[in-house]
Amino acid sequence: MAERVTRSKTGKTPSKPYNPGFVETPGRKKYTRKSGLFESTPEPFTEYTETNGKALNGNGLANGNGHANGNGLENGNGHANGNGHANGNGNGYAAGATMAAQAEKAEEARASDLANPAIDTAPRFDFGGSFGVSAMMAGFPCLMYYMYIGAFFYDGKFPMPTQGESWQAFLHHLWTLVKTEAYPSNRAWTIYWYFGMTQMAFYMLLPGIYRKGKPLPHLNHQQLPYYCSGMWSFYTSIVLGLVLHFTGVFKMYTLIDQFGPIMSVAILSGFLCSIIAYVSAILRGATIRMTGYPIYDFFMGAELNPRLFGILDFKMFLEVRIPWYMLFFMAMGTCLKQYEEYGYVSAQAAFLLLAMYLYAGACSKAEHLIITTWDMYYEKLGFMLIFWNMAGVPLSYCHSILFVALHHPDEYQLSPWLIGALTVAYLGVYYVWDTTNSQKNQFRQEERGVVDYRTTFPYFRYGRLKDPKTISTKHGNKILCDGWYGKARKIHYTCDLFFALSWGFVTGFKSPFPWFYSAFFTVMIIHRAIRDIESCRRKYGDAWKEYEKMVPYLFIPGVF
């Protein structure tokens, strides 16, 4: 077998000495700003070099831990055999060699196409194609309104027709509630977009660091630079939010009191920004991997890396700053509201605030590590990512927070010992989740020659593996099989699932809506795990089989 277990090396000595800490530096000097709103190819580009002593192959650097972040290269030798005996005068040898050379070039071109996210060589229609994504675009906003009405006007129960009420009258009643209670008021537009524009300004103006993304095959393996200021943005936002609350300028629990109008604004904004992104990409000729089916392309996206002023990457901005910061501030608003109304904060409210802080904080401190993930490298910016981050995540995952905010603590009281045990377990699982993701993404960066390591709070030493065990693949890259990934192949999914279930469990079982995220995430993560395994087996072949033998457990070490 060609694959073998080795120890990875970090390669050349970096140009600057290793610093176990970090210094945030304003990042505006490396860009020449432009006036255009969207820029798919910011300047200057940085060419990929042999930073780790190995030349880049046709598919760029694959995801080092075995979680495929690209199409992968299919096997195919493509070498035609010319035996040189065709015409008896020796010219057959030349002809045979020419045929072989042509076949080899054709195979190389085919392999390059397969690894190139700019070329959709075999369109795959996820989510049921145009019909499926149409149903999702229409159905999910309706589901969000239905859960909102249930949470606010049906005491957390499923809205259903009362005895003797016709379905027509019931649906008319729901529509009336949407029009009157969730009308997108001027105040809601102001709150939502002031928050969004402030986060954009923080992204570009606060101190941060630069990191390079994965080499992009459709740009001759050039690497886009990313400006990462998430940590400073998060803590600056917290300080600003508390100042606004305690000065009375903006009470944080307004996010709960105005939830319906804000949700409507978020839904409308998601559609509006999706349309702008799609039309803009077409008009500027920045489309990539289009299928020719407008509805499906609108949902999946038309452009890979749209940017504002060459520095603000919209995908990274939307993935971190909008959804998780909103969830954190809703949890904070709930705690502040309880303190004003009851003189204390319930254990459940405090637990949810801690959970949202840890998640939003992790996304912020490790923002520089997400730039090599599938969403950043391959997924286009379409309705799926725009709407989901602007409206879907913050305003549907929040129902555990809403239930706690809308009910007296006596209605969902659990044993203090149970809440304490859940908190301790949550912190332990968070440690595993944080260090697992750090090990994976730090390994990816060091495989590309990036050895800078940040010690942002909360810092865990186990987040970086020195000289980890790996399995070499036929593509020249490696599968990480050390640290937490030496114990279970999808252990980070297990942690995410624990978080989702905890958010529902802490509210009890009186309302189904706090369990929406738990149920949704369970189905999604199982489907994603199956898809990941199939992709890795297809891409890495014998190397992945060896990894499965070495690490037989999928989710829980020693159990499953």
Side-chain angles (χ1 to χ4, degrees), residues 212-242:
K212 298 174 185 176
K214 291 187 67 173
L216 298 176
H218 70 292
L219 297 176
N220 295 322
H221 303 295
Q222 293 168 331
Q223 297 172 270
L224 296 182
Y226 288 84
Y227 186 60
C228 307
S229 57
M231 191 196 71
W232 279 89
S233 295
F234 182 50
Y235 287 102
T236 302
S237 298
I238 293 175
V239 172
L240 179 60
L242 291 173

Side-chain angles (χ1 to χ4, degrees), residues 338-559:
Q338 284 192 345
Y339 187 78
E340 287 191 11
E341 291 183 353
Y342 312 131
Y344 67 93
V345 176
S346 69
Q348 284 83 348
F351 175 86
L352 290 172
L353 178 61
L354 173 65
M356 300 306 152
Y357 164 76
L358 289 174
Y359 212 106
C363 292
S364 300
K365 74 166 186 171
E367 188 178 36
H368 62 293
L369 296 177
I370 71 171
I371 61 179
T372 58
T373 60
W374 175 267
D375 284 355
M376 303 302 297
Y377 166 74
Y378 189 80
E379 293 284 15
K380 297 179 289 182
L381 187 67
F383 180 89
M384 179 177 69
L385 291 183
I386 294 174
F387 180 88
W388 194 240
N389 285 307
M390 293 184 70
V393 170
L395 301 169
S396 66
Y397 288 7
C398 64
H399 275 269
S400 56
I401 300 173
L402 291 181
F403 183 83
V404 171
L406 298 175
H407 294 80
H408 192 278
D410 292 341
E411 298 183 46
Y412 51 79
Q413 198 60 255
L414 295 175
S415 167
W417 291 101
L418 184 59
I419 297 295
L422 181 62
T423 302
V424 171
Y426 198 97
L427 292 173
V429 173
Y430 172 82
Y431 171 80
V432 176
W433 178 76
D434 186 289
T435 52
T436 297
N437 286 305
S438 179
Q439 288 173 5
K440 172 183 62 178
N441 292 302
Q442 189 67 30
F443 171 77
R444 287 178 186 167
Q445 293 210 31
E446 292 184 2
E447 191 181 37
R448 294 184 293 115
V450 180
V451 297
D452 290 339
Y453 186 57
R454 301 177 78 194
T455 55
T456 45
F457 178 82
Y459 164 69
F460 304 112
R461 187 179 297 275
Y462 195 50
R464 179 176 183 264
L465 298 173
K466 183 178 180 181
D467 195 20
K469 291 186 293 184
T470 62
I471 298 176
S472 298
T473 73
K474 60 187 177 183
H475 301 308
N477 43 47
K478 303 178 189 298
I479 298 173
L480 176 65
C481 55
D482 205 346
W484 291 113
Y485 286 104
K487 297 176 174 60
R489 303 193 303 274
K490 297 294 182 183
I491 194 170
H492 56 301
Y493 286 177
T494 307
C495 299
D496 271 317
L497 182 58
F498 178 85
F499 296 157
L501 294 173
S502 298
W503 297 2
F505 177 77
V506 75
T507 65
F509 301 92
K510 291 187 176 180
S511 173
F513 301 122
W515 289 91
F516 165 77
Y517 174 54
S518 305
F520 173 82
F521 189 83
T522 299
V523 174
M524 181 194 72
I525 210 66
I526 292 174
H527 176 265
R528 184 167 183 172
I530 294 173
R531 186 180 61 183
D532 284 354
I533 292 169
E534 292 176 349
S535 176
C536 291
R537 285 175 177 172
R538 182 173 59 252
K539 180 172 184 176
Y540 296 111
D542 291 340
W544 188 259
K545 292 180 182 178
E546 184 176 347
Y547 178 46
E548 290 180 335
K549 291 179 181 179
M550 180 180 296
V551 186
Y553 300 106
L554 184 61
F555 292 117
I556 303 176
V559 179

